[in-house]
Amino acid sequence: MTHRNPRRRAALLAALALVVGAAWTGANAPTARAGEQTAAAGEQAVAANAGAGKRAGAATVTADAGPLSPTTRFHVDPGSRAARQAVVDAAAGDTDDAALMARLAELPQAAWFAGGTPGQVRADAAALVARAGAAGQVPVLVAYNVPGRDCGLYSGGGAASSAAYREWITAFAEGVGDAPAVVVLEPDGLAALPEDCAGPADPGGELTAARLADLGFAVTTLKQRPGTVVYLDAGNSRWRAVGDMARRLIDAGVARADGFSLNVSNFQPTDHETRYGTWVSKCVWFATKGPEWGRGHTDWCANQYYSAAAPNDGQPGNAVSADDPTTWHWTDAWYDRTVGQPATTALAHFVVDTSRNGRGPWKPAAGTYADPETWCNPPGRGMGPRPTADTGLPLVDAYLYVKTIGDSDGSCTRGTTGPVDPVYGVVDPPAGAWWPDFAHALARDAEPALLP
């Protein structure tokens, strides 16, 4: 979409000059992607990070690396893909999309670390943390390299072995250093354990046990850094039942982390995720710190699919339905009756990825596609609530843009033989690749609106 108004175009191009300069600087500076920093430069940044926490000012987190302060300022990458796209759009005369991308470029997004050698990830993490500290900001980093990630699907990959992963995550933690930082640990790593993968992927359970041990090692290693806040990923409200996810979090060491993350790369509404997260947190408490008779029994926790507090008599509204949040009061009732109101300091906190959930999940008409793959580049979605650590909810530490807005989820085929995505009539870019049209659409359809 172009805008031909000369006065508006001149004003926009003047404003975009700032974005151009920032994007040019960012394009020529080291990025937070594996292999783009030298190990030598990284060692210098690691050393610099030792005192970065003292310089971060308003960006600091609490002294014990607990929940984030509401005044936390998250890091904005001046050389982000959105900033570069704003320059491309402006040069092409597409001033409307350029304005949207320029606005998006002003917002903090997480940096993903998905591979590379230990030396590379140490250098890249150190460089990012140093840049954020110099700007008085706290970076959000995503560690995404666990062996067998994504069950080998669109985002498959990861370290070659547990030993390789532990070496990698140790180097990653060294790169983060002692400065303030937030780490989202292994999206889908718990929601899609090896035992959940299709086929006989883990018949004896050894791979699942190794995954849980690797995640536990990562939590412990990262929490040895005094400025690091760690959230162990816990999928989303339309995936694992509350008790199932609570058990997985416990087994992976959530008690040693600062909490968990929800909705990473997904589209579930924010209020659904905050409610689900509260249930998960209370279920963890119930099974570990609650009444003696409930210890170890996450399977007794009410969830988004069933609550023992409901009549469950077959009458409309008298049972919990995951598709009908008006029935979720039955789940709330179980927690009110069984768990009560533990102190928020005794409960696991969480963060929510709101990067693409402004309009909720995509719901195509039944039978439209053999497999709609509603999680994969769905049309008509939009960016959600802006990143902030001031959520107003005691257990919700932050809303974050974790998924890079504009990155493809993969080459979706919706159950067809492919390779064309029938929704868009093109072959979607591979997972993690920048897709300008998708970025424009997400920004254009943002809720709340993304105003220049």
Side-chain angles (χ1 to χ4, degrees):
M1 178 186 299
T2 59
H3 198 294
R4 303 286 182 187
N5 185 309
R7 182 173 297 175
R8 171 176 171 148
R9 176 178 170 82
L12 176 60
L13 290 177
L16 281 173
L18 297 176
V19 178
V20 172
W24 178 256
T25 300
N28 288 278
T31 70
R33 295 187 179 272
E36 297 179 8
Q37 267 285 346
T38 64
E43 293 299 335
Q44 296 174 356
V46 170
N49 287 346
K54 299 177 181 178
R55 300 192 298 272
T60 56
V61 295
T62 53
D64 62 354
L68 298 168
S69 164
T71 60
T72 299
R73 295 172 54 223
F74 296 114
H75 178 55
V76 177
D77 177 10
S80 68
R81 290 174 170 181
R84 300 181 193 187
Q85 188 63 47
V87 176
V88 172
D89 292 339
D94 187 355
T95 54
D96 287 341
D97 282 337
L100 287 172
M101 291 298 97
R103 179 69 183 97
L104 174 56
E106 297 174 344
L107 301 174
Q109 298 189 60
W112 287 63
F113 296 79
T117 68
Q120 288 169 341
V121 75
R122 182 187 296 109
D124 290 347
L128 172 63
V129 171
R131 292 197 301 275
Q137 300 170 339
V138 174
V140 178
L141 305 88
V142 181
Y144 190 54
N145 196 39
V146 74
R149 72 181 184 215
D150 197 32
C151 287
L153 298 175
Y154 290 150
S155 297
S161 65
S162 289
Y165 179 71
R166 294 184 180 209
E167 184 179 3
W168 184 89
I169 202 71
T170 297
F172 175 78
E174 290 170 352
V176 172
D178 296 340
V182 173
V183 174
V184 174
L185 185 59
E186 300 298 342
D188 302 344
L190 280 178
L193 290 172
E195 68 183 19
D196 304 316
C197 299
D202 189 25
E206 294 86 358
L207 294 178
T208 294
R211 168 72 60 80
L212 293 169
D214 287 343
L215 292 175
F217 176 87
V219 169
T220 299
T221 301
L222 289 164
K223 284 307 299 177
Q224 289 173 350
R225 300 291 167 175
T228 301
V229 180
V230 180
Y231 297 101
L232 190 60
D233 192 66
N236 61 73
S237 62
R238 289 294 296 180
W239 203 340
R240 300 294 170 192
V242 170
D244 184 10
M245 183 48 65
R247 168 50 55 195
R248 294 172 186 227
L249 284 166
I250 293 168
D251 290 346
V254 72
R256 301 190 302 279
D258 295 278
F260 52 94
S261 55
L262 294 174
N263 208 40
V264 172
S265 299
N266 213 276
F267 304 85
Q268 305 308 314
T270 303
D271 58 343
H272 292 196
E273 298 309 288
T274 57
R275 208 158 172 186
Y276 173 76
T278 300
W279 297 336
V280 170
S281 183
K282 289 185 175 182
C283 183
V284 169
W285 182 91
F286 169 76
T288 58
K289 303 175 183 178
E292 193 67 33
W293 57 267
R295 300 292 175 89
H297 284 289
T298 59
D299 56 315
W300 291 351
C301 292
N303 58 54
Q304 69 272 44
Y305 304 107
Y306 175 80
S307 170
N312 297 306
D313 57 7
Q315 296 301 310
N318 280 0
V320 177
S321 170
D323 296 318
D324 183 4
T326 65
T327 66
W328 291 6
H329 66 91
W330 295 120
T331 301
D332 291 331
W334 187 90
Y335 286 99
D336 290 343
R337 182 180 71 192
T338 310
V339 176
Q341 298 296 326
T344 57
T345 54
L347 295 170
H349 289 218
F350 58 95
V351 296
V352 179
D353 182 1
T354 59
S355 59
R356 308 188 298 178
N357 73 345
R359 300 197 175 197
W362 179 45
K363 297 178 180 179
T368 305
Y369 305 101
D371 179 3
E373 295 180 310
T374 56
W375 54 270
C376 191
N377 300 328
R381 303 307 91 198
M383 295 164 51
R386 309 296 174 253
T388 180
D390 188 8
T391 68
L393 299 174
L395 292 182
V396 185
D397 289 347
Y399 301 137
L400 301 173
Y401 284 175
V402 180
K403 172 72 174 182
T404 302
I405 298 169
D407 278 8
S408 173
D409 295 314
S411 298
C412 325
T413 59
R414 320 290 175 190
T416 68
T417 57
V420 171
D421 183 341
V423 168
Y424 299 101
V426 300
V427 178
D428 300 353
W434 177 252
W435 191 359
D437 289 346
F438 197 38
H440 292 150
L442 288 167
R444 191 177 305 118
D445 294 333
E447 289 288 347
L450 186 67
L451 299 177

